[in-house]
Amino acid sequence: MKARITAHKSFVIGDIDRRLYGSFIEHIGRAVYGGIYEPSHETADDQGFRADVLELVKKLNVPIVRYPGGNFVSGYNWEDGTGDKARRPRRMDLAWMATETNEVGIDEFQEWARRANTEVMMAVNLGTRGADDARNCVEYCNATSDTYYANMRRANGFEKPFGIKVWCLGNEMDGPWQICQKTAEEYGRLAAEAAKVMKWADPDIELVACGSAHRNMKTFGQWELTVLDHTYEHVDYLSLHQYYDNRDDDTPKFLGRAEEMDEFIKSTAALCDAIKAKKKSQKTLSLSFDEWNVWYHSQEQDKSLEKWTVAPPRNEDIYNFEDALLVGTMLMTLQNNCDRVKMACLAQLVNVLAPIMTENGGKVWAQTIFYPFMYGSAFGSGTTLRAIVESEKYVSSAKREIPYLATSVIYNKEAREIVVYAVNRSLDEAMELDVALEGFEGCRLIEHIELYADDLKAINDKDTARVTPCHVDLRDDGQIILKKHSWNMLRYKIGE
């Protein structure tokens, strides 16, 4: 099988915002307790954070991490996670039917983020609470004034503000699973008023309004139009969430799901632009795809979890090799829509639907999905070029035409490099790939990284890393071969 990628220096999609490579830590399962935080662990630092986990998080180089939810935030009192730990309340977490000890809150998480070399994307509770608590939280985190919540932060030992610049106005508020679900009209009004007072408290923050919980919601489309009618001039981003699964064990269909993701992004951008036109606005709204991943492996086992325990092993998907292929193509889709998607969060970061897994008191390891994300974050900076792809296609069981080749092409002017990410979706045939990079002087291939496993269901665990990247020897004749069902990164150096 042969395929060709053509990209020209003059034809660009947009510049990549580094926050496209963000992630997510929610108070769910072992994401916090036993994940990033375990004071009794042998690697724990002076704050109780696992140093072995921090090391892997730094390898992923995530620039922003959404916190503290997620469904959890719609019933969360942010003050519970501040001040003296001995006086913090234990609460029933109705989102995940667990007990929240509040041993970790914003006081601790902002410090963890600093140690992880990342920023915080803070979410406020617009479920059980509202605009008043949202603006108070902004004051606590960011204000320099001699006022109640700023002084409360100082009394808790933090003279310097946390400086959190990105804030989510609730989470998935049209979902019937959400604590205090809202209609689009109810949420739109509340989000607009919360946005106003939050920006009055700190004019420099950026705000994310909730889009519909996912594309298959009955509310999708009308929700966006109604919410944005209220919030358009007050917010900076609209959120998208989407997870995919392979419950029916239909791998060709599964590997093509990123095509649906692309349609979802473009549809949501069109809805934003419809409101822009209606309001005669000069502002183009950006998108925040702040939950995306594969999710289905753990759903059956989670049904047997005991209620009201602390940090139960919930949503601990063990990812296989085909999951890594889809995650790789989903990340390419985000890169190829970087003109509108400015932030995104792989959901989540540790233990819960995560690239990083731990055992309590024990080891930490990288799951299969770790590697496409790591290489995307490490080398996917710069400008996405509008690549023309010539590839054979197959028709999936969902009646979609899927190109065997998925790709994104990124030009890093500062590094004088072009990076081509490529997935061969064929389950049977290797692909001979021709890459034409036009408008650049003296491009030469300097590195080919490949992620491949013959067994699509292969996993990594605490003892064995069955799926890891390798360097492919470059051929003298310049020919590029992509193995069947493989993820690849090709790095080109541009001549002086």
Side-chain angles (χ1 to χ4, degrees), residues 9-10 12 14-16 378-385 409-419 439-441 443 491-496:
K9 185 177 182 178
S10 298
V12 305
D15 294 331
I16 290 176
F379 296 100
S381 295
T383 300
T384 303
L385 302 180
V409 180
I410 298 170
Y411 168 41
N412 188 327
K413 184 177 181 180
E414 290 184 3
R416 298 193 62 79
E417 286 187 359
I418 299 172
V419 178
F440 299 96
E441 293 293 331
C443 283
R491 288 177 59 216
Y492 292 82
K493 199 69 177 178
I494 302 169
E496 298 297 335

Side-chain angles (χ1 to χ4, degrees), residues 308-329:
W308 315 125
T309 57
V310 176
R314 179 179 291 280
N315 290 9
E316 297 198 1
D317 271 37
I318 304 302
Y319 290 116
N320 58 36
F321 176 59
E322 69 180 9
D323 297 327
L325 294 177
L326 180 57
V327 165
T329 58

Side-chain angles (χ1 to χ4, degrees), residues 1 252 404 424-431 452 456 482-485:
M1 181 189 303
Y404 281 109
N424 178 4
R425 292 182 172 118
S426 174
L427 303 184
D428 306 304
E429 290 186 54
M431 178 182 290
Y452 174 78
L456 286 162
L482 308 184
K483 288 182 180 176
K484 65 178 182 180
H485 54 72

Side-chain angles (χ1 to χ4, degrees), residues 36 69 87 118 196 203 225 316 327 349:
I36 66 170
R87 303 182 64 179
T118 190
K196 284 161 56 177
L225 293 173
E316 297 198 1
V327 165
L349 186 55

